[in-house]
Amino acid sequence: MKIAVLPGDGIGPEIVAEAVAVLEAVGKRFHHQFNFEEKQVGGAATDQFGVPLPDDTLKSAQDADAVLLGAVGGPKWDTIDYALRPERALLSLREQLGLYANLRPAKCYSILADASTLKREVVDGVDILVIRELTGGIYFGQPRGIAKDGTGEKGINTEVYTTPEIVRIAKVAFELARGRRLHVTSVDKANVLESSALWRKVVIKVHKEYPDVALSHLYVDNCAMQLIRNPKQFDVIVTTNLFGDILSDEAAMLTGSIGMLPSASVGESGGKRRGMYEPIHGSAPDIAGKDLANPIATILSAAMMLQMSFGLEKEAGVIEDAVLSVLNEGYRTADIYSEGTRKIGTKEMGRLILEKILC
Ligand code: IPM
Ligand code: MG
């Protein structure tokens, strides 16, 4: 199994190193051969090669069976041209690899419920899967740009969704709901946007093939409120690229720390199934290189890779159990620390999880 490893910027290299070590431990215990190929991406690539996604990096990602990514971006590159920004690498990878479905599970571990800014009784037991459409909508729609006009300039972006784009993401949602609690909430802004009206119409049509799954619809503003008011009403949320970007950050905070949440971006291109796995948090430049970052989101992303790209369910479960038992023993990185628990760094957290896997 060939894995392209793209550590990226900020805390990326530290957390990815821990996830790679965990995968190696899984390989050792279960006799699998993982071949890692490490490449630069994001600001690190811009510094070294002048572009955030060098051809060599893209090729490695295309040749691999799965991609493990750390994080990209940082203040150093915030003022450069859009085309050269670290974020561009992420968007190009999504586009080039055809990663149209982004899965962001937000699960609140009971032992961490007090780390949330919301009340324990509201978040304890939350288990939501946000499915975000990832290669369409306003992120990619044309026309876009900044143009001169009579008043000075105008900035333009376009929200576009086609029937096939909506059909395939709706199918992902209904299929995954079948392995969960059989409830899909489709989120749109159909009271204002035509693209959303089509979204809703198509989701309703696709739903006819999944009569065993319950479907509800929410406008995005209401959904943002309901997520805070009563998050346990949600099972699977399916939504557009931009709404999913926003709602998945909100869902993440229900669980206490964004440092815990993995993600998978899946799809297909060149006749091959694709998967890219990354923590949903960013590059956290303020704590980079200080052994403070929580590697769990990346380690759990590696578990999602094993399950979704390689069908290694048991191995994925072993990683999840290892994470849980280390947390149960009271070990915490700074972001999830609370009084009475033991504060440890990135490396130590990685090592403890790895030990559980090997024993
Ligand atoms: C995310 C991020 C990205 C996005 C940025 C870094 C381009 O916020 O993956 O949620 O907006 O998709
Ligand atoms: Mg985001």
Side-chain angles (χ1 to χ4, degrees):
M1 288 162 268
K2 208 164 142 189
I3 301 171
V5 176
L6 316 180
D9 307 320
I11 59 172
E14 299 162 64
I15 53 178
V16 163
E18 299 311 317
V20 167
V22 162
L23 283 171
E24 270 166 347
V26 169
K28 197 162 162 196
R29 172 159 161 199
F30 294 95
H31 311 290
H32 297 304
Q33 173 88 40
F34 299 116
N35 295 311
F36 301 99
E37 187 171 66
E38 193 173 314
K39 297 287 174 187
Q40 299 279 26
V41 75
T46 301
D47 285 352
Q48 208 179 326
F49 306 106
V51 284
L53 183 65
D55 289 344
D56 180 46
T57 302
L58 177 60
K59 188 170 178 311
S60 173
Q62 280 167 332
D63 290 347
D65 300 307
V67 180
L68 181 67
L69 191 131
V72 297
K76 185 175 171 195
W77 307 282
D78 269 353
T79 49
I80 60 176
D81 202 59
Y82 263 118
L84 295 177
R85 290 244 189 119
E87 289 81 356
R88 200 61 241 168
L90 213 48
L91 298 169
S92 302
L93 280 166
R94 290 172 183 170
E95 195 176 18
Q96 299 292 329
L97 298 176
L99 306 172
Y100 63 84
N102 182 213
L103 279 43
R104 298 185 165 186
K107 198 166 162 178
C108 181
Y109 289 79
S110 193
I111 42 167
L112 297 183
D114 294 319
S116 174
T117 49
L118 288 148
K119 293 194 191 87
R120 169 177 274 276
E121 63 262 32
V122 174
V123 295
D124 192 6
V126 160
D127 181 3
I128 302 173
L129 176 61
V130 179
I131 301 179
R132 167 188 179 192
E133 198 292 325
L134 203 58
T135 50
I138 199 163
Y139 271 57
F140 294 95
Q142 294 290 342
R144 65 182 299 160
I146 297 178
K148 296 250 177 298
D149 82 345
T151 64
E153 287 178 304
K154 60 178 177 183
I156 308 155
N157 291 94
T158 307
E159 171 87 347
V160 196
Y161 272 109
T162 62
T163 304
E165 284 175 320
I166 305 167
V167 168
R168 67 183 180 183
I169 196 73
K171 282 189 171 162
V172 171
F174 291 124
E175 294 287 347
L176 289 172
R178 281 187 168 158
R180 296 175 48 98
R181 301 190 304 281
L182 297 170
H183 183 197
V184 170
T185 306
S186 171
V187 177
D188 60 39
K189 189 71 185 172
N191 50 343
V192 178
L193 306 175
E194 284 83 355
S195 58
S196 270
L198 181 71
W199 176 280
R200 189 175 288 216
K201 188 172 95 180
V202 174
V203 170
I204 289 171
K205 202 158 165 209
V206 175
H207 178 230
K208 296 209 182 347
E209 295 162 39
Y210 300 87
D212 52 319
V213 181
L215 171 66
S216 353
H217 305 273
L218 279 182
Y219 296 136
V220 62
D221 49 349
N222 188 12
C223 181
M225 180 183 72
Q226 295 296 338
L227 271 171
I228 301 297
R229 197 184 70 87
N230 174 22
K232 280 183 245 180
Q233 70 185 284
F234 295 104
D235 176 16
V236 174
I237 292 177
V238 63
T239 190
T240 63
N241 205 340
L242 180 62
F243 296 162
D245 178 45
I246 300 164
L247 294 177
S248 62
D249 268 30
E250 192 187 357
M253 273 324 285
L254 299 172
T255 69
S257 171
I258 203 164
M260 294 290 299
L261 296 193
S263 82
S265 303
V266 297
E268 57 190 33
S269 70
K272 195 167 159 184
R273 276 187 55 214
R274 305 284 183 181
M276 184 164 92
Y277 303 83
E278 58 180 309
I280 91 154
H281 57 70
S283 57
D286 52 325
I287 58 164
K290 296 184 181 158
D291 197 42
L292 284 173
N294 185 349
I296 293 179
T298 318
I299 291 170
L300 291 174
S301 301
M304 286 187 92
M305 170 190 293
L306 294 183
Q307 191 212 343
M308 300 193 64
S309 281
F310 303 135
L312 300 174
E313 300 274 346
K314 185 178 64 198
E315 290 81 343
V318 164
I319 295 181
E320 282 156 19
D321 291 347
V323 167
L324 206 59
S325 56
V326 170
L327 292 173
N328 274 328
E329 283 167 12
Y331 295 102
R332 302 283 189 274
T333 43
D335 58 313
I336 48 175
Y337 173 78
S338 59
E339 233 182 82
T341 61
R342 289 190 262 187
K343 198 187 276 184
I344 56 171
T346 312
K347 289 203 182 84
E348 183 67 358
M349 182 57 92
R351 194 185 63 77
L352 288 168
I353 293 168
L354 186 150
E355 262 177 11
K356 295 271 179 228
I357 292 168
L358 288 175
C359 73

